[in-house]
Amino acid sequence: MRNRRNFRRSRFDRKFVESSPSKSYGGAKSNSFQSKDGARSFGSNSRPRQSFNRPVRKFGRSRFENRNFDEIIRFIKDSVNKPKAAVVVNQPEEPGQKINDFVMNKTLLNNLLEKGFTTATPIQAKAIPAIREGKDILGLANTGTGKTAAYLIPLIEEAVNKRAKTLILVPTRELAIQIKNEIYIFTKAMPIKSEIVIGGAQMYRQIQNLRRNPDFVVGTPGRIKDHKQRGNINIKNYKNIILDEADRMLDMGFIGEIKDLLRERNENVQSLFFSATMDKKVAALIKEFCQDYVTVEIEQQKVTDLIEQKVVNYKHDDLKINLLEDLLKTEGFGKTIIFVNTKHRADKLMKQLNADGFKTDALHGDKSQGLRQKIMRNYKEGSFDHLIATDVAARGIDVKDVTHVINYDVPATIEDYIHRVGRTGRAGKAGTALTLIKE
C-alpha cells in the first residue's frame, strides 16, 4: 500500500519541457545566479538533499498537468524574451476617466479618494454605466484590473438608495476576505452592512451575522449552499448576484453548486459574471442563465512591464531544491512567494527549507481559515520571508513589497502563470518572476 501511494505521488513531479536558450543550472553554465555566500554550483562538497522529483515514467502525464503543457512553456519563454516597453511615469489622466465621473454618492467618493482611487480603470469605465442601467454583464478581465470596484461602486450606491441586496460568489476564502475588506473601506461612514460566508470559519457566528440582514454577502459556493439548505440564506432576497472569477470556480468543480444557486434567483435579478477567460464552461453557463447580456471586455497587458520574467533551467531533478535554496540566498531577494502545484509538495518543501535554515510557511486549502489568516498576517508583518503557496490559496493574496515570485512547479494554465507573477510588481514597484524548468 505504501509503494502504491508513493507511485501516485511521483506523478506530481513529471515535467516534459523543451530545451530553453536560458542558462542552465547544475552544469557548466550554472553560474547565472550567485548567492550571498558565493555558491555558484553544486560539487562534491554539497550536502545531498532529498529530491522533490521522484523517478519519471516515460509514458503519460500527470492529471495535475495541463494538456497544453508545451504551449504554456512556449508562452512563458515568449514572455521572457519579449522586449519590454518603456514604463511611462506620471502619465496624465485621459479626459473623462477620472473616478469623479463614475461615482454619485459623495461619501463613497470621499472614501475612494482617501484611498488613492483617482482614475477609473478601463473595466470600471465600461462596466459601471452598464450595471447602473440594470443590464446583465459578462466582464472579461484578469485580477488586478479593478473589476471589484467596477461592480462595487454602482451596487453600493444602489444599496444606499434602494436597499438592494447583493450576493457575491468567489472561488477562494482569500478572495472573499479581500472583497469584504474593500467593501469595508468603500462604505466607511455609510449605512452598509456586509458579511463573509466561507468554509473554515465558525458557522454559528456566520448565522448570527446573517440574521442582521447584511446588504452584501460574500462567500464561497459550498458554504453559501450550506447556509441556503439550513434556511439562513434565501437566494430570492438578492437583487444582484455576482460570480467573480467564474472560470476559476468552474475549474474547481463548483458547477453544481453555482447552478443550484442560480436556478433559485428571482426573474428580475441582475447577474454579473466576471471571468479572466471566455472558455466553453463560462460560455455555456452564461448562455443557460442569461438570455440578454452585455459583454464588457478590455484589452489587457498580460504581464506588467514592471515585472522582469526569467526562466531558470536545471539539468538534474536532485538539484532542483538546491537551486531554489541558492536563489533564495541571492542578494536582493526579499519577500518571496514560491508556487507549487499540490498541497503535499507545499508542506514538504516548507519542511525542507525550514530544516535548512530558511524562514518559510505554507498556504493551501487544507489549512483552517484561522490558520490561513494567521499565516498571511505573519507574512505581511515580516515574521518569515518566503511563502509557499498553491494556486487555490494564492487567489486573493495581496501583499506589498513582494520582490520575487518563483514558479517551483510550472503552472497548469497560462492564466495561472499570469496570476502568479502578478503577485509582484505591484503599486508601481518592480519585481522579478522566475520559472524553474528542467532541460
Side-chain angles (χ1 to χ4, degrees), residues 47 49-50 52 320-329 336-340 345-362 385-389 406 408:
R47 179 172 61 86
R49 301 186 180 95
Q50 183 177 0
F52 281 80
K320 188 176 182 182
I321 179 63
N322 303 61
L323 166 59
L324 175 64
E325 293 192 356
D326 261 23
L327 288 174
L328 296 179
K329 295 176 184 177
T336 305
I337 301 179
I338 305 166
F339 284 104
V340 295
R345 284 169 67 76
D347 287 334
K348 191 169 184 180
L349 184 58
M350 177 196 69
K351 292 177 182 178
Q352 180 68 69
L353 291 177
N354 287 341
D356 291 341
F358 296 89
K359 294 181 179 180
T360 72
D361 211 333
D385 304 318
H386 312 300
L387 178 68
I388 304 167
I406 299 178
Y408 189 77

Side-chain angles (χ1 to χ4, degrees), residues 333-338 350 353-354 357-363 367 371-389 397 399-402:
F333 274 67
K335 272 188 168 64
T336 305
I337 301 179
I338 305 166
M350 177 196 69
L353 291 177
N354 287 341
F358 296 89
K359 294 181 179 180
T360 72
D361 211 333
L363 189 69
K367 299 192 179 242
L371 180 56
R372 286 161 72 165
Q373 289 181 262
K374 180 181 179 181
I375 291 171
M376 286 305 303
R377 184 171 59 252
N378 291 340
Y379 182 56
K380 291 179 180 180
E381 293 174 354
S383 299
F384 60 93
D385 304 318
H386 312 300
L387 178 68
I388 304 167
I397 290 180
V399 180
K400 296 180 180 178
D401 302 325
V402 173

Side-chain angles (χ1 to χ4, degrees), residues 175-185 194-196 218:
L175 183 56
I177 294 171
Q178 180 178 313
I179 294 174
K180 172 67 166 60
N181 291 338
E182 289 200 41
I183 296 173
Y184 177 80
I185 293 171
S194 60
E195 171 58 13
I196 188 171
V218 188

Side-chain angles (χ1 to χ4, degrees), residues 90-336:
N90 297 325
Q91 182 177 8
E93 297 174 0
E94 297 181 11
Q97 298 299 302
K98 292 183 179 180
I99 197 67
N100 310 51
D101 299 329
F102 298 93
V103 184
M104 297 179 180
N105 186 285
K106 292 183 178 179
T107 306
L108 174 58
L109 178 59
N110 290 335
N111 291 338
L112 293 171
L113 294 176
E114 183 179 338
K115 290 299 179 180
F117 292 86
T118 58
T119 306
T121 65
I123 188 68
Q124 293 164 6
K126 293 182 179 181
I128 290 176
I131 294 174
R132 282 207 178 106
E133 294 174 7
K135 297 179 179 178
D136 290 346
I137 296 290
L138 169 60
L140 297 176
N142 278 332
T143 181
T145 57
K147 60 181 173 59
T148 304
Y151 62 74
L152 284 183
I153 288 173
L155 296 184
I156 287 173
E157 293 178 335
E158 187 177 7
V160 173
N161 298 331
K162 302 179 181 180
R163 307 312 304 176
K165 300 189 183 305
T166 298
L167 177 65
I168 304 174
L169 302 176
V170 297
T172 67
R173 305 170 189 176
E174 280 70 31
L175 183 56
I177 294 171
Q178 180 178 313
I179 294 174
K180 172 67 166 60
N181 291 338
E182 289 200 41
I183 296 173
Y184 177 80
I185 293 171
F186 291 177
T187 60
K188 187 176 65 174
M190 299 177 69
I192 297 294
K193 294 180 292 184
S194 60
E195 171 58 13
I196 188 171
V197 176
I198 55 177
Q202 293 182 357
M203 179 70 79
Y204 174 76
R205 180 173 296 179
Q206 291 179 3
I207 293 174
Q208 294 299 107
N209 291 336
L210 288 171
R211 288 175 179 172
R212 298 172 186 171
N213 203 19
D215 303 280
F216 288 85
V217 173
V218 188
T220 49
R223 180 53 68 95
I224 288 178
K225 181 180 180 180
D226 288 344
H227 280 288
K228 180 181 73 69
Q229 292 174 340
R230 293 167 181 250
N232 303 323
I233 288 178
N234 186 350
I235 303 300
K236 296 185 182 297
N237 291 338
Y238 295 95
K239 172 65 171 58
N240 310 290
I241 294 182
I242 301 166
L243 272 67
D244 199 343
E245 298 196 5
D247 53 343
R248 185 63 178 175
M249 279 190 283
L250 299 181
D251 287 342
M252 292 171 63
F254 286 124
I255 182 66
E257 290 88 343
I258 291 173
K259 286 187 175 182
D260 289 342
L261 295 172
L262 293 179
R263 289 190 184 105
E264 296 192 21
R265 304 171 301 166
N266 280 321
E267 292 183 359
N268 62 342
V269 70
Q270 184 177 20
S271 301
L272 309 178
F273 296 74
F274 286 87
S275 176
T277 58
M278 183 58 171
D279 58 21
K280 293 181 180 179
K281 293 180 182 178
V282 175
L285 184 67
I286 195 168
K287 183 178 181 180
E288 180 178 353
F289 291 98
C290 294
Q291 301 300 323
D292 186 20
Y293 63 91
V294 176
T295 300
V296 177
E297 185 174 6
I298 61 172
E299 184 179 352
Q300 303 168 49
Q301 183 182 16
K302 291 297 186 181
V303 179
T304 176
D305 291 329
L306 294 174
I307 300 175
E308 182 181 7
Q309 302 172 72
K310 296 180 180 179
V311 167
V312 184
N313 291 122
Y314 61 96
K315 292 185 176 181
H316 307 293
D317 292 334
D318 290 342
L319 295 179
K320 188 176 182 182
I321 179 63
N322 303 61
L323 166 59
L324 175 64
E325 293 192 356
D326 261 23
L327 288 174
L328 296 179
K329 295 176 184 177
T330 305
E331 194 70 38
F333 274 67
K335 272 188 168 64
T336 305

